Amino acid sequence: MGDNAPLKGRFAPSPTGRMHAGNVFSALVAWLVAKSTGGTIVLRIEDLDKERSKACFIDDAQRDFETLGLYWDEGPFFQHDRDEAYAAAFETLCEKGLVYPCFCTRADLHAASAPHHGEKLVYPGTCRGLDEAQRSLRAQQRTPAHRLRVGDEHISFADAIQGFYEQNLARDCGDFIVQRSDGAFAYQLAVVVDDAEQGVTSVVRGVDLLCSTPQQMHLQDLLGLPHPSYAHVPLIVAQHDRRLSKRDQDAALDALLDRFKTPAALIGHIAGITGLAPTCDPATPEELLANFDLAKLSHNLVDLEQIRWT
Ligand code: GLU
């Protein structure tokens, strides 16, 4: 991709709670990256988890983006009505002989494998070698999830913020879930199918998803889909290095707007503490665009993993 080609970025909120400062920061950077190239933004509501997704949070997310001046150009697209597209991709992987049923429970997985590379569990391959007879026997007791068989595959890429990142899929990730036992397609599969169909060329999101990127790039390769560019922003953390979560009421958007009074004061504050702007003075996304440079941002960041919310 040429350096100045217009990029298509995306906002991909999961409507499981109200946005917090960290969500606003990644959306702001996604918007600035796309708009600084004359590009566009897609809004995709990631309501794959039907139980935890709530209609009120879908409305809130759209209103929050609008209030903050983070306009999108296409969408909203929803994951809840994309099952056919995910099923087609799943079928392609099955036809390649790469998918197998996994009967392990969460407890089995925790007992079988030591946490590796932070919190990520590497699947030890328990169900990989089951034969047909064993599979049908197990299927009588438990509906299986489905995993993608991965090999001794090396995936590396240059993240625009985090720099060079690599994983050996077999060693660092293991065979991963592409369909859950309740029939829902996994986030890794859905996000890859959606990014490709919606023409997304720039993915900007929290660094907590950095370790998922090799899985997604591997799926793109298997499905013949292009790789977008990636930029993983630091997480904004609460006190004591604890991640902000949608349960942190004081960092939720209502509370933030109460505290900062205007959207520009909030955006300016986030820009100041993250190094997007030299001061915490009020600023709109358009105003930040004038001096935005992703390379400068990464240079200004003191910590690439986390920024303390103040
Ligand atoms: N829906 C995810 C979230 O809200 C983001 C997924 C992604 O950007 O790939 O954290």
Side-chain angles (χ1 to χ4, degrees):
M1 203 175 313
D3 273 356
N4 298 316
L7 291 170
K8 196 191 254 196
R10 35 81 149 186
F11 300 152
S14 300
T16 54
R18 200 69 199 276
M19 281 213 277
H20 57 65
N23 304 129
V24 174
F25 176 46
S26 22
L28 176 62
V29 178
W31 190 91
L32 291 168
V33 167
K35 295 295 165 179
S36 62
T37 65
T40 50
I41 287 281
V42 166
L43 172 61
R44 178 170 74 235
I45 306 291
E46 300 216 315
D47 54 354
L48 204 56
D49 188 333
K50 294 187 173 97
E51 262 166 41
R52 291 179 58 222
S53 299
K54 302 270 178 290
C56 61
F57 295 132
I58 297 177
D59 297 341
D60 286 346
Q62 298 185 65
R63 214 185 33 241
D64 291 344
F65 287 131
E66 278 170 0
T67 305
L68 296 168
L70 294 170
Y71 297 103
W72 62 93
D73 305 279
E74 281 178 53
F77 300 108
F78 292 87
Q79 289 188 324
H80 70 240
D81 51 25
R82 299 266 302 140
D83 261 12
E84 248 175 66
Y86 307 146
F90 179 77
E91 210 33 61
T92 304
L93 300 172
C94 291
E95 279 161 14
K96 290 180 186 281
L98 294 172
V99 176
Y100 65 87
C102 171
F103 300 90
C104 295
T105 61
R106 211 174 272 265
D108 293 336
L109 297 176
H110 280 270
S113 51
H116 199 87
H117 281 218
E119 285 170 18
K120 199 161 164 171
L121 286 176
V122 177
Y123 182 63
T126 321
C127 293
R128 193 187 235 233
L130 298 180
D131 61 27
E132 275 316 313
Q134 290 167 313
R135 284 178 182 161
S136 5
L137 199 67
R138 297 276 182 95
Q140 288 168 19
Q141 278 132 29
R142 191 179 157 77
T143 311
H146 286 89
R147 284 185 187 269
L148 184 82
R149 183 190 301 269
V150 300
D152 187 22
E153 213 114 18
H154 204 79
I155 308 255
S156 66
F157 67 101
D159 186 272
I161 294 175
Q162 304 294 327
F164 181 75
Y165 185 78
E166 62 183 333
Q167 262 185 19
N168 176 292
L169 288 181
R171 187 194 65 205
D172 301 323
C173 166
D175 298 343
F176 61 90
I177 303 247
V178 282
Q179 189 183 32
R180 298 181 347 188
S181 59
D182 63 4
F185 292 104
Y187 154 73
Q188 309 291 5
L189 184 69
V191 87
V192 158
V193 171
D194 286 345
D195 279 339
E197 177 155 328
Q198 289 150 18
V200 169
T201 56
S202 156
V203 171
V204 178
R205 58 188 176 192
V207 73
D208 52 328
L209 288 166
L210 179 65
C211 65
S212 286
T213 306
Q215 281 154 266
Q216 295 173 16
M217 292 177 70
H218 183 54
L219 285 170
Q220 286 153 0
D221 289 340
L222 293 172
L223 297 167
L225 304 173
H227 297 305
S229 60
Y230 290 98
H232 287 85
V233 301
L235 299 182
I236 296 192
V237 295
Q239 271 175 337
H240 311 302
D241 295 349
R242 188 176 52 80
R243 281 178 64 166
L244 282 186
S245 90
K246 289 186 171 147
R247 287 182 296 271
D248 282 307
Q249 292 309 325
D250 51 345
L253 215 77
D254 286 332
L256 292 176
L257 288 172
D258 268 1
R259 174 178 155 195
F260 288 94
K261 311 295 179 223
T262 66
L266 169 59
I267 292 282
H269 183 80
I270 291 177
I273 65 166
T274 56
L276 267 176
T279 67
C280 283
D281 293 348
T284 62
E286 269 90 8
E287 285 160 356
L288 294 173
L289 196 53
N291 292 313
F292 175 72
D293 178 350
L294 190 59
K296 259 199 259 156
L297 169 68
S298 2
H299 188 75
N300 288 348
L301 286 166
V302 181
D303 186 337
L304 294 176
E305 302 264 316
Q306 42 181 253
I307 294 165
R308 179 71 68 88
W309 176 244
T310 49

